[in-house]
Amino acid sequence: MTATIIDGKKTAEKIRSEIKEYVSGLKKKPGLAVIQVGKNPASTSYVNLKEKDCKEVGIYSKIIRLVEEISEEELVEKIIELNKDNSIHGILVQLPLPKHVNEEVAIDMINPLKDVDGFHPVNAGNFFIGKAGFVPCTPKGVIRLLKEYDIPIEGKNAVVVGRSNIVGKPIAMLLMMNNATVTICHSKTKNLAEYTKNADILVVAVGKPGLIKAEMVKEDAAIIDVGITRTGNLLKGDVDFDSVSKKASYIAPVPGGVGPMTRAMLLENTIEAYNNIERG
Ligand code: GUN
């Protein structure tokens, strides 16, 4: 079988146009603040794209670029200022932060109502027990793509490779909430292929280019590649696209699969924050 390519770019475009339409009907603009510390080139590129996305849909964006040497206290001060700023509904601190700044300290300072990344422990906890709150953007984007392409989740065997707080764990939770039977694999898993071969839905978020080869996937599986490794200007996923796309029924590639959806979900979360704050 030749897999249908899951087009995250197209789906994200559709979501942006819906958001643009919604925002055009609002009296007050939603606002997103993005803090970047230092000059990590990947972070710079992500932050620039976030700014561009906001502009396109009419969300006010405030990009705060801080020097690498900034102290944890100064960063915290900035976050406190944004928590109080009525023009700002969403706050995102671009990760990774420099080693001398504790990421947990920074994230814990964000008002959970403005935590559009869904990284604050209050949001992570609410999410874990199925209460309303912000769902992290990449996991939300993965589920949205599966739904957009009518890929059934209920009762299916879903395997997630990767267990990060930001991606692997929340994706596994969302798949479980959608009634999949979920297995989480990670760097200490023995015989990875024994698990991946059993997956109707395989989500890979590790950061090892080409880790998943055709012989490791089930015929007609849906494959979602969340791995991103930069080599120069090229982005590489965790899935060996050429071989796997001949065996799977669906494949979300890198680039053009989940990445654009992460950005679109950030805009959606910003609108959710706006509605919670401005409309009670
Ligand atoms: N760095 C890479 N991905 C992300 C993300 O989703 N949110 C934040 N804040 N930083 C990131």
Side-chain angles (χ1 to χ4, degrees):
M1 183 166 203
T2 303
T4 299
I5 311 284
I6 296 180
D7 190 342
K9 216 172 148 191
K10 196 176 82 188
T11 309
E13 248 168 49
K14 191 179 85 178
I15 293 166
R16 281 200 303 276
S17 74
E18 286 163 6
I19 292 174
K20 185 175 178 179
E21 168 81 21
Y22 180 77
V23 170
S24 70
L26 298 173
K27 279 212 183 82
K28 179 176 175 180
K29 263 192 177 187
L32 172 68
V34 178
I35 302 179
Q36 182 184 354
V37 182
K39 291 190 169 155
N40 176 320
S43 293
T44 301
S45 139
Y46 289 136
V47 169
N48 289 344
L49 287 169
K50 283 166 187 156
E51 186 175 26
K52 175 174 162 271
D53 289 343
C54 284
K55 197 172 257 177
E56 182 185 325
V57 303
I59 291 176
Y60 162 61
S61 66
K62 184 169 188 165
I63 309 296
I64 298 138
R65 295 186 174 88
L66 303 172
V67 293
E68 179 92 18
E69 300 75 29
I70 195 159
S71 68
E72 199 173 275
E73 292 71 30
E74 285 170 291
L75 175 60
V76 162
E77 283 296 311
K78 196 74 213 168
I79 294 169
I80 291 171
E81 203 182 290
L82 293 167
N83 282 340
K84 292 183 196 149
D85 185 336
N86 290 331
S87 70
I88 296 299
H89 305 90
I91 302 171
L92 180 148
V93 177
Q94 187 68 31
L95 303 178
L97 290 172
K99 289 209 169 55
H100 67 277
V101 181
N102 186 328
E103 286 182 358
E104 258 179 41
V105 169
I107 288 166
D108 287 1
M109 283 315 298
I110 300 173
N111 177 350
L113 286 172
K114 296 190 176 186
D115 168 41
V116 283
D117 255 331
F119 293 171
H120 191 285
V122 165
N123 284 313
N126 281 336
F127 172 52
F128 192 81
I129 59 172
K131 266 176 74 176
F134 292 107
V135 177
C137 302
T138 298
K140 194 170 171 178
V142 168
I143 299 296
R144 184 67 67 83
L145 278 180
L146 291 172
K147 295 199 167 165
E148 191 70 25
Y149 280 79
D150 290 324
I151 297 167
I153 306 176
E154 185 163 316
K156 298 295 177 186
N157 287 336
V159 173
V160 180
V161 187
R163 57 175 162 179
S164 71
N165 285 334
I166 297 179
V167 183
K169 272 192 226 172
I171 287 176
M173 279 297 296
L174 286 176
L175 287 164
M176 186 177 67
M177 286 168 176
N178 281 276
N179 299 319
T181 303
V182 182
T183 304
I184 304 175
C185 299
H186 45 75
S187 55
K188 302 288 186 285
T189 297
K190 296 199 168 69
N191 300 323
L192 178 63
E194 292 306 310
Y195 298 94
T196 57
K197 270 195 285 193
N198 199 30
D200 301 306
I201 299 169
L202 177 61
V203 183
V204 195
V206 177
K208 279 194 186 168
L211 172 73
I212 303 296
K213 311 247 187 295
E215 62 269 21
M216 297 170 74
V217 309
K218 187 176 176 181
E219 194 89 39
D220 295 340
I223 314 288
I224 311 290
D225 192 349
V226 194
I228 292 186
T229 305
R230 279 171 187 267
T231 36
N233 275 340
L234 278 184
L235 294 187
K236 286 203 177 123
D238 289 342
V239 176
D240 177 31
F241 180 87
D242 289 344
S243 69
V244 172
S245 61
K246 292 188 181 82
K247 193 170 179 187
S249 60
Y250 290 92
I251 184 163
V254 173
V258 175
M261 290 299 289
T262 297
R263 287 161 48 198
M265 294 301 101
L266 175 64
L267 300 175
E268 250 192 34
N269 280 358
T270 303
I271 299 299
E272 191 178 322
Y274 174 91
N275 285 337
N276 289 341
I277 292 169
E278 297 293 337
R279 308 174 153 197

